[in-house]
Every structure is written in C-alpha cells, then in structure tokens.
Amino acid sequence: MTAGAESMERASALASVLRGLRRVAVAVSGGVDSMTLAAFAHQLGDVEVETFHAVSAAVPNSATARVRRHAEQYGWRLRIVDAGEFADPDYRANPVNRCFYCKTHLYGAIVARTDAVVVSGTNTDDLTDYRPGLTAAGNHGVRHPFVEAGLDKADVRAIARVLGLTDVAELPAAPCLASRIETGIPIMPRTLAVVDEIETAIREAINPDAVRCRVRTDKVVIELDEPTLSRISDTERTQVAAYAAVVWTSGGCEPLPIEFARYRRGAAFRHTTLANLEGRMAP
C-alpha cells in the first residue's frame, strides 16, 4: 500500500472516530494539526462542530489571524476565549511542566462553555515527547481523534493538502511563545510580545524554514534552520542582531547579548534527570 493510500485509509478511520462522537468542540491553536482537524470535521457534514481559540500573550498574533480567517471563510462556529493562564502563578513561574497548567486552564475554559466532546489536534508523533498537557487533557476528558485513528504528522499534512488548506499544510511547528523562554525564567507578557515581534520580522526579512527567539538567563539566541543559517551573509546576521537588540530593549527588557544558533526543537526546555522530570509531570 502506498503512503498516500495509507493516509486516506487513516482519514476514513478519522471520519469514523468523529462520527462516533457526533458533537465536538475543537481546541484550535492555529497550527496545522488543530486547523486540519477542525476543517476535516466540518467537511463531514454529519458531525456538529464548534471551534474554540484561546487568545493570550503566549499566542502569536499570526495564529489568531489564521484561525479568524479560516472561520470566516469556511463558516466555522468560532468562539474566542481567554483561558486565564496568566492569572496562575504556577504557570507564570515556568516550571518544567508549565504546559500542564496552560492546558488545564484551556480545557477548563472550553468545558465550561460547551457540553460537546472536546477534541485536540494531538497526533501519534506527539506521544513520543514529554507532554504534560496530555495529563491536563485526560483530566478534562479530552479526546484525540488523530491518535485514535492512528494518524501521525505526515498523515495530518496529507489530509490538509487534500482539503485544499494550502496555507496550513506546510506550516512549520509553531508551539506557543512561552516555549521560547528557558525553563525557570518567569513568563511575562511583555517578553512574549517582543519574541513574537522579533520572529515575525525575521520571517518577513529572510524567510527561514524555522526561527525561534530563545530567551535565556544571560542572552537571547536567534535559532534558524541549518540551510538558512548557512546561507545568510555576515551583513544579514549583523542587521538581524541589531534589529533584535533594538526591539528587545525597546520592549522594556534588560539588554542581553544576541547570538545565533542552529534550530533545535525544545531548546529552551531544561530538566536535570528523567526521574526528576517524571516526578513533576503533574502537581
């Protein structure tokens, strides 16, 4: 069986999962997974669908704009909520299981507003990572249709292409802005706004496949995918660093050195030992 045929077979399994739920509330972040799930559920026609998008300082402006655009274009029933995670000192402290607190507030906000089954865009590839947010999902009865249907990230992208989601299918991974802040450094809205502004400007200026503005205790690191890091000139590096420094300080942040590095997934995440990590997966 070809890869395409396998993806379509799993798409059929996904349809069965969603039809079995009948009424779903899709938590839509603006990334490829949740956007594809929402679009797929809507096109079935016999599943009642509502979508929820949480806005906060940790959500890139571009993600919210994407969700609003698709909701208007395709007639989604969209509800914008403030999950209230910034009112939680445990979230703001940015511990190793920060995502647990974030998702606890997100799913709590959704289940308080609907009696439909809450579903997420989690796929099978996500199960190989440390994801404390899945514990929060379990606590709120959230279902993961992609996982139940056996779909991985490649399958999700294939479905997005079939659905004609050209602006979504090839989106790079885009975790929340809080993921740019090194574990243990408090999460502050003004810092996240600066991070978003720097990353947005870099995308517009040099069009990298991946960019992260990582905030550490002693420096700010601009991470770029290896091909982009190799092709940009010294002049471009100097210009990007100078711009980032201006945005950083004008946003009220203490001056820090600006460095470049190769993009590494989860590079702001810090933990000591696996035993310590497992012991902190939930409060």
Side-chain angles (χ1 to χ4, degrees), residues 56-59 84-105 176-179 181 184-189 192:
S56 80
V59 179
E85 71 272 26
F86 278 87
D88 185 346
D90 288 324
Y91 169 82
R92 296 197 309 272
N94 194 19
V96 71
N97 62 339
R98 181 198 68 247
C99 289
F100 172 83
Y101 300 105
C102 176
K103 296 299 186 183
T104 292
H105 287 280
C176 77
L177 294 170
S179 68
I181 314 301
I185 299 175
I187 302 294
M188 295 187 293
L192 301 183

Side-chain angles (χ1 to χ4, degrees), residues 100-155:
F100 172 83
Y101 300 105
C102 176
K103 296 299 186 183
T104 292
H105 287 280
L106 170 65
Y107 295 133
I110 296 175
V111 299
R113 292 168 169 81
T114 183
D115 58 359
V117 178
V118 180
V119 295
S120 86
T122 301
N123 63 71
T124 58
D125 287 343
D126 297 326
L127 304 183
T128 63
D129 291 337
Y130 169 61
R131 292 191 178 247
L134 292 176
T135 301
N139 292 345
H140 287 87
V142 176
R143 299 279 292 269
H144 311 296
F146 288 144
V147 173
E148 294 180 37
L151 274 70
D152 60 17
K153 193 77 167 189
D155 295 320

